[in-house]
Amino acid sequence: MMNANEDEIAPAVRSILAAAREREGGTERLAVDARSLTDAVAAVEADGRVPIIAEVKPTSPTTEGTRDEDPVELAEQMVAGGAAALSVLTEPEHFGGSTANLRRIREAVDVPVLRKDFVVREDQLDVVESDVVLLIARFVDDLAGLVEAAESRGFQALVEVHDAAELEAALAADASIIGINNRDLAKLEVDLVTFEEVATGVPDDVTLIAESGVSTVDDVRRMRAAGADALLVGTAIMGAGDVTENVRRLTTATQETT
Ligand SMILES: O=C(O)c1ccccc1NCC(=O)[C@H](O)[C@H](O)COP(=O)(O)O
């Protein structure tokens, strides 16, 4: 997948990828005792709320400015708002993330924590423990090998796809948690139609996550109607306003208002 024409990728993403390839891996193989993302999603669902994976994303190539509060406080506020799980950026150069943030957050909360980064090699899995690790189909050469490497360490692998060909690769790699990213990493444009189209090819036994571009309660309802078991939301939570309220608004999006 990584051999796709890189000239077609947005300059910011080319820079992210170049940095990812340079980043060192860990020196000792990790063994993770992971909190189950699927169970956390089911528990929130059973409680009548929408499972939201809230993202601690201090900045990004497509947002202005940086949110400077303590990431642990932000994470705790997201859990207080009802987040089923958290996604924590560990990419330092373009997203203001760090592995230290992830370690501190995972110690402070009891929901599953996703490591959000651009992992391209097996040794990079050994840098920090998390419950779930993101693997982006487009950027990984041996997807099945990396899924296997992650799961053999105890991580749950969230395999991110953007189109039907990447979905096919994720299913061939036996991915049981798949995220469909509405953000096109070639153009950095976001279109919720992506999820609606690609989700039609996802088997029922896969935990399916809608990623990116969700900001309103209508967006949440739209992704749920198209089959999302959970939604990964960053900017709409980290942007303006109170983080707890931002999460609560999305988790209660499908409840009746009388
Ligand atoms: O968010 C970006 O600007 C970005 C730029 C380049 C590559 C990846 C990028 N985002 C990664 C993500 O998947 C999102 O952080 C995540 O899905 C949340 O998206 P959103 O709710 O739209 O912030």
Side-chain angles (χ1 to χ4, degrees), residues 16-253:
I16 291 168
L17 263 184
R21 289 176 185 138
E22 292 293 312
R23 209 161 296 127
E24 287 188 359
T27 49
E28 278 183 39
R29 185 186 169 92
L30 293 180
V32 180
D33 182 15
R35 303 165 193 162
S36 167
L37 177 65
T38 306
D39 288 354
V41 165
V44 169
E45 181 91 53
D47 199 33
R49 291 176 293 122
V50 179
I52 297 290
I53 304 171
E55 186 156 278
V56 181
K57 178 181 182 183
T59 189
S60 87
T62 59
T63 48
E64 281 182 21
T66 302
R67 197 140 180 178
D68 289 326
E69 294 106 306
D70 178 7
V72 175
E73 281 175 25
L74 289 170
E76 288 172 336
Q77 289 162 15
M78 290 171 180
V79 174
L86 298 176
S87 165
V88 178
L89 261 302
T90 55
E91 205 276 358
E93 286 99 342
H94 303 80
F95 292 86
S98 76
T99 51
N101 284 352
L102 189 149
R103 267 190 213 98
R104 291 176 58 228
I105 288 171
R106 189 161 179 257
E107 265 176 38
V109 302
D110 56 9
V111 299
V113 179
L114 162 71
R115 175 181 172 200
K116 196 77 190 303
D117 208 325
F118 296 79
V119 171
V120 292
R121 293 191 317 272
E122 179 170 349
D123 65 332
Q124 293 173 334
L125 294 169
D126 292 322
V127 167
V128 65
E129 291 190 21
S130 63
D131 304 291
V132 190
V133 65
L134 179 76
L135 302 175
I136 302 175
R138 178 165 195 161
F139 299 145
V140 172
D141 279 329
D142 176 11
L143 185 60
L146 209 49
V147 169
E148 215 282 311
E151 291 179 347
S152 71
R153 286 162 169 81
F155 292 105
Q156 298 151 91
L158 162 54
V159 177
E160 177 180 304
V161 305
H162 181 69
D163 60 26
E166 290 173 9
L167 174 61
E168 205 177 306
L171 294 173
D174 264 344
S176 58
I177 307 175
I178 294 179
I180 299 173
N181 198 341
N182 289 309
R183 180 172 284 109
D184 178 353
L185 296 182
K187 299 182 185 137
L188 291 185
E189 288 165 1
V190 176
D191 189 344
L192 299 191
V193 168
T194 304
F195 183 88
E196 292 171 326
E197 288 180 354
V198 180
T200 58
V202 177
D204 284 345
D205 59 352
V206 166
T207 299
L208 180 58
I209 299 170
E211 298 178 26
S212 300
V214 170
S215 57
T216 66
V217 294
D218 283 347
D219 294 339
V220 173
R221 291 176 187 146
R222 190 171 157 189
M223 295 294 94
R224 292 284 279 173
D229 295 307
L231 291 83
L232 172 58
V233 184
T235 309
I237 293 170
M238 290 291 288
D242 178 76
V243 162
T244 303
E245 279 316 309
N246 289 346
V247 174
R248 189 167 290 134
R249 182 171 51 89
L250 302 178
T251 60
T252 55

